[in-house]
Amino acid sequence: MNGGGCPIRKYTRNHNPFSRWLGEEGLEKARSGSVTSPINNSHVYSAVRASNSDGFEASKIPDECSVVHLNLVARHGTRAPTRKRIKELDELAIKLEALLSDARHEAQGNVESLQRIPGWLWGWKSPWKGRLKGGELISKGEDELYDLGIRVRDRFPELFSAEYHPDIYTITATQVPRASANAVAFGMGLFSGRGSLGPGKHCAFSVISESCASDICLRFFDRCQIYKEFRKNQEPAVDKLKEPVLHEVSSALVARFKLNFTKQDTASLWFLCKQVSLLEWTDDLEGFILKGYGKAVNYRMGVPLLQDVVESIEQAIIANEGNTIQWKLEIMSVALLKARLRFAHAETVVPFSCLLGLFLHGSGGFESESEKALTLV
């Protein structure tokens, strides 16, 4: 990455990135609910290892180059449902019980009409019933990040051959418990076998967090008032775009099982439905408009994080290209830094990936009227 600036797209007021990405036909399908293919999927960290989605190939390091520094911005692993989601699932269980009671009453002893209802629905209860807290990193998420740490170390052995020191490997996380737990799980994998603690020969390492009230690098989505206002104003329009899809699936469920599912029931139950790809698309739609390329403010607020990444890379390059002893002494502290590892949230990673221009499907995926360099000073 060249010093001095980073390309960032500038858009006209009439620019409609969603229509440019899907095309006018795709946008019309979004409004009508006739789209049946998801834009992208949410998977656990290990899912991509079993497939080569979209022909993706990992970049190779040229023979004449050597790795001197690693920057990582990672989302937390699989977590428990939030309190809001737990409450929603508890309400769904109550609603299902009422729907099944009505179905049994209407059947009036007709067993055949009840057999069309999936057996697991009878007596279903939320696995998180009664829980008052949620959102924490679960054991599956711990495994994901532990394995990721090992894979990163195996991918860049020359970077992680040194003995651990906080000035060599800086680890930061947001001040949210699941993010710091994420960093710990990753670090345990990354530095496993490198210390003297316990049978696994682990080593202690530090994780630094900044207050949520002032974290403009990893929680910029909380600090940017323009974005918060945009999201608040845009959510009703996004719900309206999703409505035809939820209506279509709800109608299909009613016709198939003779249970009076509402759109809200379907939204809560969608991961259990047959038409997962269609419902998953509604999640992708929301993510695109409110977190991704849908609006420039979604990712421009991530510039402080980009600036931090670029500066650390440039410092590492300078440190390794210093020609004089005096110069090397001046940048010795920089030269020590081999990796800067950050652990945050989807609301951090998605806008940041957009700021880098990643995951644009096709040559015309997301075109701008013009491009200008944003000076990172």
Side-chain angles (χ1 to χ4, degrees):
M1 185 177 293
N2 294 327
C6 178
I8 186 168
R9 293 171 170 82
K10 182 178 181 180
Y11 308 95
T12 63
R13 291 179 60 187
N14 296 325
H15 182 64
N16 189 333
F18 190 53
S19 65
R20 295 288 287 274
W21 198 30
L22 294 180
E24 289 300 331
E25 181 181 356
L27 185 58
E28 187 58 36
K29 287 182 178 180
R31 296 191 181 105
S32 65
S34 60
V35 175
T36 57
S37 297
I39 297 170
N40 56 59
N41 299 315
S42 298
H43 296 298
V44 297
Y45 272 94
S46 59
V48 72
R49 299 174 65 190
S51 65
N52 190 19
S53 179
D54 296 328
F56 172 79
E57 292 184 7
S59 58
K60 296 181 180 179
I61 301 173
D63 294 337
E64 64 273 17
C65 297
S66 61
V67 179
V68 298
H69 181 78
L70 172 68
N71 257 277
L72 173 70
V73 179
R75 176 188 185 268
H76 58 75
T78 302
R79 60 168 173 79
T82 60
R83 284 181 294 178
K84 179 181 178 181
R85 181 66 167 168
I86 290 172
K87 180 181 178 182
E88 184 179 313
L89 291 174
D90 286 341
E91 292 172 350
L92 176 63
I94 296 172
K95 181 63 179 293
L96 284 176
E97 185 177 359
L99 289 175
L100 292 170
S101 177
D102 291 343
R104 188 185 291 110
H105 177 73
E106 292 175 5
Q108 295 181 347
N110 185 353
V111 178
E112 184 178 348
S113 65
L114 296 178
Q115 287 179 341
R116 73 182 70 190
I117 300 175
W120 62 266
L121 284 178
W122 298 98
W124 182 84
K125 300 294 182 184
S126 169
W128 299 277
K129 181 181 179 181
R131 287 193 55 175
L132 300 178
K133 296 184 180 295
E136 76 279 5
L137 192 69
I138 63 175
S139 58
K140 183 177 181 62
E142 293 173 354
D143 290 339
E144 291 165 2
L145 270 295
Y146 180 81
D147 291 341
L148 181 61
I150 293 175
R151 296 195 334 252
V152 168
R153 186 183 67 190
D154 292 344
R155 178 71 174 83
F156 305 107
E158 63 275 34
L159 279 184
F160 298 100
S161 58
E163 182 179 351
Y164 169 78
H165 190 281
D167 290 339
I168 300 177
Y169 307 109
T170 64
I171 305 175
T172 58
T174 66
Q175 205 176 46
V176 176
R178 61 177 171 269
S180 56
N182 199 71
V184 171
F186 181 91
M188 290 182 69
L190 185 67
F191 302 119
S192 59
R194 302 298 176 87
S196 58
L197 299 177
K201 294 186 177 181
H202 295 288
C203 72
F205 53 89
S206 67
V207 177
I208 301 172
S209 294
E210 185 172 346
S211 169
C212 290
S214 58
D215 190 349
I216 62 172
C217 279
L218 297 182
R219 288 192 66 86
F220 45 74
F221 52 90
D222 258 355
R223 306 307 313 144
C224 180
Q225 295 302 317
I226 295 177
Y227 170 71
K228 292 169 76 171
E229 189 67 24
F230 158 74
R231 179 161 184 163
K232 179 181 178 181
N233 294 335
Q234 194 70 21
E235 282 176 345
V238 173
D239 290 339
K240 193 170 184 64
L241 283 172
K242 293 163 59 176
E243 189 171 321
V245 174
L246 294 175
H247 176 74
E248 178 181 337
V249 177
S250 298
S251 299
L253 288 173
V254 171
R256 183 177 182 184
F257 302 125
K258 306 303 179 184
L259 297 175
N260 293 321
F261 286 108
T262 65
K263 288 179 290 185
Q264 179 57 49
D265 297 333
T266 301
S268 301
L269 195 64
W270 77 260
F271 55 93
L272 304 172
C273 295
K274 183 177 180 180
Q275 293 172 290
V276 167
S277 62
L278 184 59
L279 290 165
E280 194 172 46
W281 180 86
T282 65
D283 278 358
D284 295 334
L285 171 65
E286 180 177 336
F288 175 84
I289 295 176
L290 299 181
K291 297 178 185 177
Y293 286 108
K295 190 75 172 179
V297 68
N298 291 353
Y299 49 88
R300 285 186 176 177
M301 61 180 173
V303 167
L305 173 58
L306 177 63
Q307 180 175 345
D308 187 46
V309 169
V310 171
E311 287 180 351
S312 64
I313 293 174
E314 290 181 337
Q315 288 171 352
I317 293 173
I318 292 172
N320 281 272
E321 291 180 348
N323 295 320
T324 66
I325 295 178
Q326 179 61 33
W327 176 247
K328 286 191 175 183
L329 287 174
E330 290 176 359
I331 48 80
M332 184 178 294
S333 61
V334 176
L336 288 173
L337 182 59
K338 292 191 174 184
R340 183 165 291 181
L341 312 171
R342 306 169 182 83
F343 298 90
H345 311 272
E347 292 86 350
T348 310
V349 175
V350 173
F352 183 63
S353 66
C354 294
L355 197 60
L356 297 177
L358 303 179
F359 308 114
L360 293 175
H361 301 292
S363 59
F366 188 65
E367 300 173 2
S368 61
E369 299 297 328
S370 62
E371 281 194 355
K372 290 187 177 181
L374 179 67
T375 303
L376 299 175
V377 294

